[in-house]
Amino acid sequence: MSDFTIHTLETAPEGSKKILEGVKGKYGFVPNLIGGLAESPVATEAYTTIGGIFEKSDFTPTERQVVLITANHDNGCTYCMAAHTTMSKRQKLPEDVIQSLRDNTPIADAKLEALRIFTRAVFHKRGWVDQADLDAFYAAGYQKHHVLEVVVGLAFKTISNYTNHVVDTPVDDAFAPNAWSKSEPAAAE
């Protein structure tokens, strides 16, 4: 059990309030993750800024979710798995892709599967990927800039996943229908 507060617009430190207002305007509510991050205006700004930057990547919305949900899975983040599953369904991502990511099983689409495998390699090897990892990623149609965009996605998820672990963030009602139970993170492929 954590002693962190899940802040609201009323309880958040002054430096976090404007960001919470923006998030509420975008989503219609302040997700518990943002409420937990709000304890630190710096952490709140870092998370929302990096998230906004990752949205500018050359990845499609589906590819971005492949990177993010893969990290959520391998970090064992139950909060983010529920949240990103909900967002993926709202974005009309293919159901089989969402389910493969939740189950850590191969994605039928070969290019998306290459992205999932490469993301896991970067994650589990802490960035020390080898030439074979890069060659397989490039063979699937990705380029050098995509390698670095995977790193940005992992940085974004590190902030949220670790925050949720430390804060013990409860899953919001909006995400509860897509709750997920973690299993042991799978080894790198």
Side-chain angles (χ1 to χ4, degrees):
M1 172 99 350
S2 171
D3 65 349
F4 280 85
T5 299
I6 305 298
H7 287 283
T8 64
L9 282 169
E10 295 74 31
T11 66
E14 198 58 42
S16 295
K17 285 185 180 186
K18 189 172 188 116
I19 296 171
L20 269 64
E21 289 169 357
V23 169
K24 185 175 182 181
K26 183 176 180 179
Y27 295 105
F29 71 105
V30 176
N32 288 335
L33 165 61
I34 303 298
L37 281 164
E39 184 69 31
S40 167
V42 169
T44 309
E45 182 178 3
Y47 176 75
T48 56
T49 300
I50 293 173
I53 291 168
F54 187 60
E55 286 184 17
K56 295 177 187 178
S57 74
D58 199 27
F59 289 127
T60 66
T62 298
E63 289 170 324
R64 286 194 302 270
Q65 289 300 327
V66 168
V67 172
L68 301 177
I69 296 174
T70 297
N72 295 335
H73 180 281
D74 286 8
N75 270 320
C77 187
T78 56
Y79 180 93
C80 284
M81 287 295 284
H84 282 274
T85 298
T86 301
M87 288 184 271
S88 294
K89 288 180 178 189
R90 287 181 185 160
Q91 293 173 352
K92 308 265 189 253
L93 268 64
E95 186 60 41
D96 66 310
V97 172
I98 296 169
Q99 198 57 52
S100 290
L101 292 166
R102 286 174 62 90
D103 295 342
N104 191 35
T105 57
I107 300 170
D109 180 292
K111 187 173 183 182
L112 294 178
E113 176 61 6
L115 177 58
R116 184 184 78 85
I117 289 170
F118 184 74
T119 300
R120 295 193 79 228
V122 174
F123 176 89
H124 288 279
K125 295 178 179 182
R126 306 294 186 252
W128 296 102
V129 293
D130 53 41
Q131 193 60 49
D133 297 319
L134 293 166
D135 290 345
F137 191 55
Y138 299 149
Y142 292 104
Q143 299 171 14
K144 287 180 183 177
H145 70 276
H146 291 113
V147 171
L148 300 175
E149 290 175 1
V150 166
V151 173
V152 172
L154 291 172
F156 175 55
K157 286 290 75 189
T158 297
I159 294 171
S160 62
N161 293 167
Y162 288 13
T163 296
N164 289 322
H165 296 168
V166 170
V167 173
D168 195 22
T169 312
V171 173
D172 298 276
D173 291 343
F175 307 143
N178 294 301
W180 177 82
S181 297
K182 72 176 183 172
S183 57
E184 289 301 310
E189 295 173 349

